[in-house]
Amino acid sequence: MKRKLTTRLRITLQSVLCVFLALLLANPAAAVLSEATLDFYNINGIYYYNPSGAGNSFGCYSGDIVIAGTTPEEKVWSGLTSFMTPEQAAGTMGNMAHEGNYFNPVQHEVSQMNALWNTGFNIINDSSKAYGIGLIQWSFGRRTNLLQYIEKSAPHLIQYFTQPEIYSKGYSVNGKVLLSMVGDAVYDQLILIELEFLRDELQNNSSYRKLFEQQTVIEAADYFLERIEKPADPEASRAVRRADAEKYYNQLNGIALTPSAGTGCSSSGTLQELTLKYAWPTYHQASFVEMMPDYATAVQQQKASGKYAGGINYPGVDCGGFVTILMQNSGFEPNYNSGKGGTTAQEAWVKSHGWILLNASEDTYIETNILQPGDVAFVTGHTFVYVGNIPGFDSNIASASLDERAPMAGRESLTYDKDRGEVVRWYRKGNGVE
């Protein structure tokens, strides 16, 4: 329902729009929006629009630790047991549960944050304060070493440490909540880079290194508490840390964990690599049904294995077929569209398998700066995929259309399909299981 704007609000919005127009005019190449389009944005309260999407906001850090499992506990366990015994891993986790708010790798020490956050304190470079952060609440120089290591090795992850009002919120965002917020790909990268740092820290410090000599869960939990964590009053939390350590040992030791589908680095990277092999790098007007050679081969293999390829007169020349084959063959989501359905069924599939709607609602325009490679778009009868900035590829999206366009660099709007009169609905892979 439309409402009249108050004078003050109208002036504010006009001011914002003037700034927006000024930015466009300052960059003539970007000044492509018509008066009608600008009026539409004004009427509908849209004062931020990035027509190309961020693309480069997504980063990738693969490291040398393999993360497995679906829960925070399983992911941390898999990483720790890659370089220590199960007993030592359990003892470490018993401490982490209470230091890092049950495995939130970007948890801030709330008392320190309340005292220092608005004073200009620099958590990355100022080692003078006992400001804890991360899985084990690294502080002083250990904190700055950790954050500088992340800033150098995986700079795209630093944003999650510098926005505690979103990713900590006091102690209300534990590991499980954070995982649901950022998805497997980001969470797994945060976990593995901190575990790599922890491993190197343990191995390079003669005192810390003795953790690797501990034989039992209790010994490991106590050693970590007394020699690595070093709280002012170890006895205050010793019993609960021991109990949690034994709980994780009994829960996780010996179980087989499937490598996380969301580690994302290899999957997203492969998705982009495969896009260059499967999709023409420039846009072609319909009718253009010639497929890239690698994609034609993939379609044949897809059909031979009884999987979904789409198309009627031209198998594989199909929006849903292309997205399905790209998702499955890149490993980004091997089970994508396992029901072998068209676009309506595919949207139902992502909804029922834990994918997250990125729009605030199905009728709300997406903020395009949040899109990442592997995000999938739907409107009635059509789907396409966000692939990000790929050198040599003329779009941030790849798409095809039924018997009309083979996979190619797409020109679809990221926000609104004017032919269908629909907002484009965007989904991101979450934590669902097949």
Side-chain angles (χ1 to χ4, degrees), residues 381-396:
H382 189 51
T383 184
F384 54 96
V385 60
Y386 192 87
V387 296
N389 294 329
I390 305 176
F393 197 77
D394 285 353
S395 178
N396 285 330

Side-chain angles (χ1 to χ4, degrees), residues 114-134:
N114 290 341
L116 296 172
W117 189 252
N118 294 318
T119 66
F121 175 68
N122 189 312
I123 62 169
I124 299 175
N125 297 316
D126 189 341
S127 62
S128 66
K129 306 294 184 182
Y131 188 115
I133 203 165

Side-chain angles (χ1 to χ4, degrees), residues 6-276:
T6 65
T7 300
R8 178 177 297 179
L9 181 57
R10 184 182 297 277
I11 292 172
T12 300
L13 294 181
Q14 288 175 344
S15 299
V16 174
L17 188 58
C18 287
V19 173
F20 176 70
L21 286 168
L23 291 173
L24 283 176
L25 294 174
N27 180 6
V32 295
L33 301 182
S34 68
E35 288 292 331
T37 300
L38 290 172
D39 287 342
F40 174 81
Y41 291 151
N42 189 16
I43 292 169
N44 289 277
I46 301 169
Y47 297 98
Y48 172 79
Y49 176 60
N50 177 357
S52 63
N56 59 4
S57 66
F58 178 81
C60 207
Y61 183 76
S62 56
D64 59 3
I65 291 177
V66 176
I67 302 298
T70 59
T71 67
E73 294 87 347
E74 291 173 348
K75 292 173 183 293
V76 173
W77 173 267
S78 66
L80 287 172
T81 53
S82 69
F83 61 90
M84 61 175 64
T85 68
E87 290 79 8
Q88 294 158 4
T92 300
M93 288 178 65
N95 284 276
M96 280 183 176
H98 297 277
E99 292 300 319
N101 192 16
Y102 291 92
F103 314 111
N104 178 348
V106 296
Q107 179 65 51
H108 287 238
E109 185 178 2
V110 174
S111 61
Q112 291 292 327
M113 187 182 76
N114 290 341
L116 296 172
W117 189 252
N118 294 318
T119 66
F121 175 68
N122 189 312
I123 62 169
I124 299 175
N125 297 316
D126 189 341
S127 62
S128 66
K129 306 294 184 182
Y131 188 115
I133 203 165
L135 289 171
I136 66 170
Q137 295 292 276
W138 283 275
S139 62
F140 291 110
R142 295 172 72 192
R143 168 182 34 81
T144 56
N145 287 342
L146 168 68
L147 295 179
Q148 288 169 13
Y149 172 71
I150 294 172
E151 190 174 48
K152 178 180 179 180
S153 304
H156 63 285
L157 296 177
I158 282 292
Q159 61 182 305
Y160 299 100
F161 294 89
T162 57
Q163 300 182 74
E165 70 281 2
I166 298 175
Y167 301 112
S168 288
K169 293 182 181 177
Y171 288 110
S172 64
V173 180
N174 60 24
K176 184 177 180 180
V177 173
L178 181 70
L179 177 58
S180 70
M181 291 173 65
V182 302
D184 283 281
V186 169
Y187 185 85
D188 288 4
Q189 291 179 64
L190 289 166
I191 289 291
L192 72 86
I193 199 168
E194 287 196 17
L195 294 186
E196 280 184 352
F197 182 83
L198 174 63
R199 178 195 60 194
D200 294 345
E201 192 180 50
L202 295 175
Q203 292 175 345
N204 293 324
N205 183 295
S206 58
S207 177
Y208 297 167
R209 190 163 55 237
K210 292 183 180 179
L211 174 66
F212 297 120
E213 299 174 8
Q214 308 309 306
Q215 300 296 313
T216 69
V217 172
I218 298 302
E219 288 173 350
D222 284 353
Y223 193 89
F224 199 99
L225 173 66
E226 297 167 0
R227 303 298 181 87
I228 299 170
E229 172 51 36
K230 301 178 182 178
D233 184 6
E235 296 306 321
S237 62
R238 186 186 301 273
V240 69
R241 294 180 190 227
R242 283 179 170 184
D244 274 348
E246 291 186 317
K247 177 185 71 176
Y248 294 128
Y249 183 82
N250 293 332
Q251 173 185 328
L252 298 167
N253 186 39
I255 69 171
L257 297 176
T258 302
S260 174
T263 302
C265 286
S266 59
S267 298
S268 293
T270 304
L271 182 141
Q272 292 182 318
E273 293 169 5
L274 217 53
T275 297
L276 287 174

Side-chain angles (χ1 to χ4, degrees), residues 274-336:
L274 217 53
T275 297
L276 287 174
K277 294 181 178 181
Y278 283 3
W280 296 100
T282 56
Y283 180 82
H284 299 266
Q285 293 284 354
S287 175
F288 186 89
V289 297
E290 180 183 354
M291 294 180 285
M292 293 275 281
D294 285 335
Y295 183 67
T297 299
V299 170
Q300 293 175 354
Q301 294 172 343
Q302 192 84 347
K303 292 175 61 183
S305 61
K307 297 179 180 179
Y308 185 84
I312 298 175
N313 298 315
Y314 305 99
V317 180
D318 178 79
C319 59
F322 165 61
V323 172
T324 297
I325 294 172
L326 181 66
M327 288 287 165
Q328 291 179 358
N329 290 3
S330 67
F332 191 90
E333 177 44 82
N335 296 313
Y336 189 89

